[in-house]
Amino acid sequence: RGASDVSVRPNLVAYVTTITAWSRTKAAHAPSRAEHILNRMIDLYYDGNDVELPSLEGDVEHAKHDAPFNAVITAYARSIDPNAAERAFAVLERLEVSPIAPTVFTYNAVMDVCAKHGDPERALQTLEKMQALSVTPDSTSY
């Protein structure tokens, strides 16, 4: 099968593993590379109104479809990119308009970016937003 054959596609575990690997590197371009992989996943699985979420099969016990988004946001939290918070919020916005609902893990990752990049006010706004959306904060949220 050729590289353009979309009948064989990576599952969610493959995407999360690859994005997480990039998020753990020290390379300055790691967050943008992780986001590029997320964008490839979105392009492959989200075709206009036709949404086919990546398979959850694989060696994962509690896989969630928001995990690739969360991994990219975490990559921005670990980065030294001065635009990390803006990029993380852009990823959150893409998730919010998708058929996948952000979870407490998503909002915690965004608040972590805010904390690590000196924007406590935006972290508080994120906490208030998640509560308004009936996403229950956990101990990490506080």
Side-chain angles (χ1 to χ4, degrees), residues 100-117:
I100 304 165
T103 63
V104 65
F105 302 107
T106 309
Y107 291 109
N108 286 346
V110 170
M111 289 186 288
D112 189 39
V113 174
C114 294
K116 290 179 177 173
H117 290 272

Side-chain angles (χ1 to χ4, degrees), residues 24-74:
R24 291 181 178 166
T25 70
K26 302 278 188 213
H29 68 286
S32 62
R33 185 70 179 125
E35 188 171 358
H36 173 74
I37 295 165
L38 174 66
N39 291 337
R40 287 182 57 192
M41 181 194 85
I42 291 168
D43 291 345
L44 191 59
Y45 284 97
Y46 302 97
D47 182 22
N49 293 330
D50 184 27
V51 175
E52 180 185 343
L53 298 174
S55 170
L56 289 174
E57 64 194 36
D59 186 20
V60 60
E61 190 173 322
H62 301 291
K64 303 284 187 209
H65 281 105
D66 67 326
F69 294 84
N70 300 346
V72 171
I73 294 168
T74 298

